[in-house]
Amino acid sequence: MKRIGIIGGGPAGLMAAICAKNKNNHVTIFDINDKVGKKLLMTGGGRCNITNSAYFDDFLENVVTNKKFIYSAFTNFDNFALIDFLNQNGLETIIEEDGRVFPKSEKAGDVVSFFENIIKEKSIDIKTKTKIKKVYKDKYFYLTDQNDKSYTFDYLIIATGGKSYPRTGSDGNGYSLASKLGHKIIDPRAVLVPIYLNEKLSLRAQSFKDVSLNIKTNVENITVSGDLLINGNLITGPAALKASSFILGKNIVEFSIDFSPDLTYNEIEKKILDLIGDNPKKTLGNALKPLINFPLFEEILRLGKIDINKNVSELTKEDRKTIVSYIKDFKIDFDRIGSFESAVVTRGGIDLKEVNPQNMESKLVDGLFFVGEILDIDSLTGGFNLQTYISTAYAAGTFIKENT
């Protein structure tokens, strides 16, 4: 009976185990935590955004790093195949307007339980609180854990994740193990992270729908649209997370927010004039309150040195231009992007030149496979990352199942 070892009990490790298991092999999962799926519990704000319903080409447009590599694995097990797999095995899903897919219960714990139940049904072993410290390959793979206990396997899958959310056990150990087996590691870097500002804005936890971030870097101009959250000296939310992925490693020349991308400068100024006409005796703060998010309006007036308590009849043409300019082109003083502590995913990892894209097997070591976030693949937020990780797990697992 062939023995298959899987280091890492995240979604990729669990899926690889399920796909690899047959009556002729024995599968063992090792996880550093006291329970598998710890990081999975955090996805989608605890709701678990497991995939996205975008059609094939649109889906792949959201893969930022090494899109060509993932093509084969995604073709063989795409987002709709995953949805069918979940539904047919008892986990109902819902699709939101933006294409994000969640369990119907909107509880990430139900997704973890879903995988745990199948693992149990297939008699797959799980060894928790176990960190593999050493690994080498002779005829077989020989592993040693933190208690110096040894294990022997015919096949080995490394699914340890990257370095994002290190408190969940993603400490980069997989990179060390892969290096010892001869693999090159592309420098891991944090992506899909909040963006920090040099200045502290007088805005606390203010949410904005459908804004545009306009960024000029040393190499290109970038525009990212979506929802945004501003909280003091940082911006986060879908738009900021996507922007962080595009600006990593680039020099920021200019960074601004368009809070009303659907309106022109002239259209916003007309709204101001209409509000003034409807409220000629009110103060700016009262008359223009419907114009935009009020805390933002207060901040705009503060930055523009315009008295919020003066009568609207005193508002000059220059004042109007200033307000419109801040709404359409709100300059922010970029400082840095966040660290691994707040990163959704990792960019970098196993050099894909050394991995077979058909089945995720190492080109250097027979019987060694890499799946999930440890690979140098990352996508935008919205369920795209988790899907690509599961697709790689399916590719490796089914290959092993068919060959054992």
Side-chain angles (χ1 to χ4, degrees):
M1 180 171 282
K2 297 295 183 180
R3 298 154 298 177
I4 300 148
I6 300 176
I7 308 175
L14 296 173
M15 188 66 177
I18 290 168
C19 294
K21 184 71 178 80
N22 66 26
K23 63 182 180 180
N24 299 316
N25 62 39
H26 185 273
V27 180
T28 303
I29 301 171
F30 299 93
D31 196 83
I32 192 173
N33 298 301
D34 57 0
K35 188 177 181 180
V36 296
K38 191 168 184 179
K39 190 185 290 187
L40 194 59
L41 293 172
M42 302 173 67
T43 62
R47 297 169 61 210
C48 193
N49 180 194
I50 198 163
T51 188
N52 193 288
S53 65
Y55 289 115
F56 194 89
D57 289 339
D58 291 334
F59 188 102
L60 290 176
E61 280 301 307
N62 287 273
V63 180
V64 178
T65 305
N66 290 316
K67 182 188 306 181
K68 289 182 179 179
F69 180 88
I70 198 65
Y71 186 90
S72 176
F74 184 63
T75 299
N76 290 325
F77 193 78
D78 65 10
N79 44 349
F80 293 102
L82 175 56
I83 293 169
D84 286 344
F85 170 76
L86 297 172
N87 294 166
Q88 290 170 11
N89 286 281
L91 186 69
E92 293 184 76
T93 53
I94 55 172
I95 302 175
E96 298 196 340
E97 287 185 8
D98 59 1
R100 292 184 300 164
V101 179
F102 295 89
K104 188 176 181 180
S105 66
E106 300 190 60
K107 295 178 181 178
D110 288 346
V111 180
V112 175
S113 296
F114 168 84
F115 281 112
E116 286 179 322
N117 291 337
I118 299 178
I119 292 291
K120 186 176 181 179
E121 288 172 7
K122 289 181 171 287
S123 299
I124 294 169
D125 283 346
I126 297 178
K127 295 186 182 299
T128 55
K129 298 182 182 179
T130 304
K131 182 172 183 175
I132 301 301
K133 304 283 286 187
K134 298 177 183 177
V135 58
Y136 74 93
K137 170 76 182 295
D138 191 0
K139 181 179 180 181
Y140 304 107
F141 290 95
Y142 298 93
L143 281 59
T144 306
D145 68 16
Q146 79 273 23
N147 298 315
D148 293 326
K149 185 175 181 179
S150 298
Y151 309 87
T152 305
F153 296 102
D154 298 279
Y155 296 88
L156 179 64
I157 301 175
I158 299 182
T160 51
K163 295 183 72 174
S164 60
Y165 292 126
R167 62 186 179 277
T168 64
S170 297
D171 59 1
N173 182 50
Y175 303 137
S176 175
L177 299 177
S179 294
K180 290 172 183 175
L181 290 165
H183 274 269
K184 179 182 176 182
I185 307 300
I186 305 297
D187 185 30
R189 305 181 73 178
V191 290
L192 298 185
V193 289
I195 295 172
Y196 288 85
L197 317 178
N198 278 314
E199 59 185 328
K200 194 167 187 177
L201 301 173
S202 300
L203 294 169
R204 292 287 183 183
Q206 293 297 311
S207 297
F208 302 91
K209 299 285 289 183
D210 300 321
V211 306
S212 289
L213 301 182
N214 299 308
I215 309 159
K216 183 178 181 181
T217 74
N218 58 320
V219 294
E220 62 184 330
N221 294 329
I222 300 167
T223 297
V224 178
S225 299
D227 297 345
L228 188 71
L229 173 71
I230 301 179
N231 193 3
N233 70 328
L234 69 83
I235 60 174
T236 187
L241 297 182
K242 290 178 184 178
S244 74
S245 183
F246 292 128
I247 66 178
L248 179 65
K250 298 171 184 174
N251 295 324
I252 305 301
V253 177
E254 191 174 278
F255 201 130
S256 68
I257 306 171
D258 182 349
F259 288 101
S260 294
D262 292 336
L263 297 177
T264 66
Y265 282 75
N266 289 337
E267 288 171 335
I268 295 174
E269 185 167 12
K270 183 179 185 303
K271 282 184 68 174
I272 293 174
L273 290 170
D274 288 343
L275 288 169
I276 291 173
D278 293 339
N279 304 278
K281 296 182 179 181
K282 291 186 178 181
T283 63
L284 283 182
N286 288 322
L288 301 187
K289 204 168 187 177
L291 181 65
I292 201 165
N293 171 287
F294 191 67
L296 173 62
F297 182 61
E298 290 181 302
E299 179 71 352
I300 286 172
L301 295 183
R302 183 185 72 81
L303 294 171
K305 297 180 173 54
I306 302 170
D307 184 2
I308 194 171
N309 294 311
K310 74 179 180 180
N311 190 279
V312 288
S313 61
E314 301 175 67
L315 192 70
T316 66
K317 183 177 181 180
E318 183 180 343
D319 290 337
R320 295 199 308 269
K321 296 293 185 186
T322 297
I323 293 171
V324 174
S325 180
Y326 273 109
I327 292 173
K328 292 292 292 177
D329 190 29
F330 191 98
K331 298 286 195 303
I332 62 175
D333 188 6
F334 174 84
D335 178 20
R336 60 186 170 84
I337 63 174
S339 66
F340 281 114
E341 291 293 335
S342 57
V344 176
V345 296
T346 305
R347 176 172 297 169
I350 304 299
D351 188 342
L352 300 186
K353 294 176 183 176
E354 301 173 348
V355 179
N356 184 336
Q358 302 291 325
N359 55 20
M360 306 301 133
E361 186 174 16
S362 165
K363 293 179 180 179
L364 309 180
V365 182
D366 290 343
L368 173 64
F369 299 78
F370 299 99
V371 300
E373 191 181 351
I374 194 170
L375 295 163
D376 183 19
I377 305 167
D378 66 271
S379 308
L380 297 180
T381 184
F384 301 101
N385 284 291
L386 195 49
Q387 173 66 55
T388 58
Y389 301 156
I390 290 175
S391 293
T392 63
Y394 179 87
T398 51
F399 178 83
I400 292 173
K401 181 179 181 178
E402 291 167 0
N403 287 275
T404 57

